[in-house]
Amino acid sequence: MNAMQLDMTAEDEAFRAQARDWLIHNRPTAPAPREGQASRTYATDWLAKCAAAGWSGLAWPKEYGGHGLSPARLLIWYEEYARARAPSPLDCTFVALNHAGPTVFARGTEAQKAFHLPRILDGRSIWCQGFSEPGAGSDLASLKTTGRIEGDHLVVNGQKIWSSYADIADYQELLIRTDPGSKRHKGLSWVICDMTLPGITVRPIRNMAGVTHFAEVFYDDVRIPLDAVVGEVNDGWSVAMTTLAFERRTAAMALQLDLSVKVEELIALARPTPGTATAERLADLRAEAAGVRAMTYRTALRDPDTPFDGSLVRLTFAELAQRIERAAMDVLGPDGLTDSHWTHGYLESYSETIAGGTAEIQRNIIAERILGLPREARL
Ligand SMILES: Cc1cc2nc3c(=O)[nH]c(=O)nc-3n(C[C@H](O)[C@H](O)[C@H](O)COP(=O)(O)OP(=O)(O)OC[C@H]3O[C@@H](n4cnc5c(N)ncnc54)[C@H](O)[C@@H]3O)c2cc1C
């Protein structure tokens, strides 16, 4: 998609040149450590550098320390970000910047905003998400972790799982059941959990790519002050929907725009002979990545009141990302068995159709809310 089709203004193009220049000259060139405190330091140093130069919180409103960029400008930024091969936006700063922070500025108290938002924007605090449980993933409303009100505290007991970066996070967006008699979406609360509180145990889970990016978290009589609840007590489901809306909006943009750059890298690596099956396969992937980019533009620039387009883009992106990584393994042949970023990318790509809503759930949403097919039976 070119500038003419989108009617980018001269100011937009000047912004693009400025972003490109800054990213090329300032992005770290050393590879990111893959896990643990070293990965945290790498990510937060980069975020602090972005913040100092005015490139943090681009989508956040100005009143909360952000820049309030238009969707068009955000698309430009993320395109240049991908082109510069800047650090993955899906690092340990992702949750704080893309959904915990936005949930706090949308639903939090003035005290919560004043304390947390500046720390998120410059990388001083890292957040993780504590929504999923062993028996509550796709069906989040069946979660069982409880918070019992005792005076001005919640006493939390239970377990979360798949909490990305919980081992290095300072805070967790924690969704718990605070009304003991409640069922499903009712009686939940969205709480800011300080990860250093007594009674919290974090047990990292090693994935098949060999890294511990997510963890189980256990809560044993963890006392959280009631003023850490975001929104009203027992109204957590609506706050969680705010979180998920932010997660799906700007957060995915960066990853989707990254796909085209990845395909070009793969083509440069493969240098296929024209007319061969490999050349055709890579040409198909290039075309599909251009399709995802066009869908990303369309979703970002159109009326935000049509939210379910997000599932279409998310699903198309996730399945294409897996096909690109699969093609990379075929291009690399035996070299794909070594410890390269392609190998890790391939192993990590299996999670694309699980994290943030599985492929089946996305298909359900598309079927029911876009195509208008009959709804599946619900309890
Ligand atoms: C890399 C990664 C990072 C993650 N990070 C976090 C995090 O930071 N915080 C957090 O809270 N969670 C996180 N998750 C968890 C993620 O949100 C869940 O894995 C996801 O919601 C699916 O839930 P589940 O794993 O319990 O699978 P289940 O919901 O048990 O699903 C199992 C299978 O059944 C299918 N299925 C379930 N319901 C239906 C249905 N109604 N119709 C058709 N098929 C269905 C699913 O598609 C899947 O194939 C992460 C997951 C991954 C992979």
Side-chain angles (χ1 to χ4, degrees), residues 90 95 99 127-140 160-166 172-173 207 213-215 247 348 350-362 364 368 376-378:
L90 205 57
V95 167
H99 46 95
W127 286 57
C128 59
Q129 183 183 39
F131 281 16
S132 305
E133 297 183 3
S138 303
D139 185 17
L140 184 59
K160 296 289 172 178
I161 194 168
W162 316 126
S163 187
S164 299
Y165 303 107
Q172 184 179 52
E173 43 183 44
N207 70 12
H213 278 174
F214 42 35
E247 182 177 5
E348 298 270 10
Y350 280 82
S351 68
E352 294 289 3
T353 44
I354 303 172
T358 68
E360 290 77 14
I361 296 300
Q362 306 296 355
N364 280 350
E368 295 175 7
E376 69 168 332
R378 286 188 168 77

Side-chain angles (χ1 to χ4, degrees), residues 63-276:
E63 60 186 303
Y64 301 124
H67 295 271
L69 287 196
S70 66
R73 292 276 170 101
L74 281 177
L75 287 165
I76 292 172
W77 166 257
Y78 283 128
E79 243 171 19
E80 294 306 322
Y81 196 93
R83 191 198 302 264
R85 306 319 274 147
S88 167
L90 205 57
D91 63 16
C92 63
T93 63
F94 181 88
V95 167
L97 283 171
N98 293 289
H99 46 95
T103 305
V104 169
F105 69 61
R107 306 292 296 269
T109 62
E110 292 310 312
Q112 289 165 347
K113 292 177 198 172
F115 181 81
H116 288 291
L117 298 181
R119 286 170 170 75
I120 290 175
L121 280 176
D122 65 11
R124 271 174 292 159
S125 58
I126 294 300
W127 286 57
C128 59
Q129 183 183 39
F131 281 16
S132 305
E133 297 183 3
S138 303
D139 185 17
L140 184 59
S142 60
L143 68 84
K144 291 194 168 62
T145 297
T146 56
R148 190 178 69 246
I149 298 176
E150 258 186 34
D152 54 5
H153 279 75
L154 285 166
V155 182
V156 178
N157 283 284
Q159 181 195 347
K160 296 289 172 178
I161 194 168
W162 316 126
S163 187
S164 299
Y165 303 107
D167 58 332
I168 50 173
D170 305 299
Y171 298 97
Q172 184 179 52
E173 43 183 44
L174 178 60
L175 194 61
I176 50 175
R177 191 165 296 285
T178 40
D179 178 351
S182 66
K183 289 215 164 32
R184 310 285 307 157
H185 312 85
K186 301 211 164 70
L188 304 175
S189 296
W190 196 110
V191 187
I192 301 172
C193 175
D194 176 343
M195 294 297 282
T196 62
L197 287 173
I200 294 179
T201 307
V202 178
R203 192 189 294 165
I205 304 170
R206 197 166 290 281
N207 70 12
M208 71 178 180
V211 288
T212 52
H213 278 174
F214 42 35
E216 290 175 288
V217 185
F218 300 88
Y219 312 81
D220 185 9
D221 283 336
V222 177
R223 294 179 64 80
I224 302 179
L226 269 174
D227 62 16
V229 172
V230 174
E232 300 298 317
V233 173
N234 296 336
D235 188 33
W237 187 257
S238 86
V239 185
M241 292 304 104
T242 304
T243 309
L244 295 180
F246 280 117
E247 182 177 5
R248 285 173 191 145
R249 223 174 286 153
T250 51
M253 232 185 235
L255 306 175
Q256 288 151 10
L257 296 175
D258 191 56
L259 278 192
S260 293
V261 176
K262 209 156 200 188
V263 173
E264 295 311 317
E265 268 183 12
L266 183 54
I267 291 171
L269 181 75
R271 296 168 54 190
T273 309
T276 59

